[in-house]
Amino acid sequence: PKEPSGSLSTDSIKIKKEVANAFMKRQKRSSLYERYFEYYKNPMEQMHERCENYPPCDYLSDQIGFSLAYNRFFG
């Protein structure tokens, strides 16, 4: 059913719950091990973020490498 403006009405877009469940699959829960690593970052990733958030370190890491830049400012 089209509206006078030429667009479809919202009733024609809706689908039944049973039909939606046929192609929308819910993700299974991950294991405890996977959930742990979603919440806690490893130390190297924390170091990268610390350097990226400090503009002089971020700029220098592009020039001479991450480890040297990080050690210069935070090491």
Side-chain angles (χ1 to χ4, degrees):
K2 288 196 172 191
E3 294 180 359
S5 63
S7 64
L8 294 173
S9 67
T10 57
D11 293 333
S12 65
I13 296 173
K14 293 180 183 176
I15 59 175
K16 293 181 181 178
K17 187 177 182 179
E18 295 80 21
V19 176
N21 287 337
F23 63 90
M24 293 298 293
K25 297 293 181 189
R26 199 176 114 204
Q27 278 188 337
K28 293 182 179 178
R29 292 187 178 195
S30 58
S31 68
L32 181 63
Y33 178 79
E34 291 171 349
R35 279 186 264 158
Y36 173 80
F37 283 106
E38 287 178 7
Y39 294 114
Y40 301 102
K41 298 176 183 170
N42 67 13
M44 184 60 85
E45 189 175 351
Q46 291 175 350
M47 290 167 56
H48 273 282
E49 288 183 356
R50 186 175 182 195
C51 187
E52 287 173 354
N53 290 334
Y54 186 59
C57 183
D58 189 33
Y59 176 77
L60 193 60
S61 70
D62 291 337
Q63 306 299 317
I64 63 172
F66 166 74
S67 59
L68 292 173
Y70 186 86
N71 287 335
R72 176 178 246 185
F73 289 102
F74 304 109

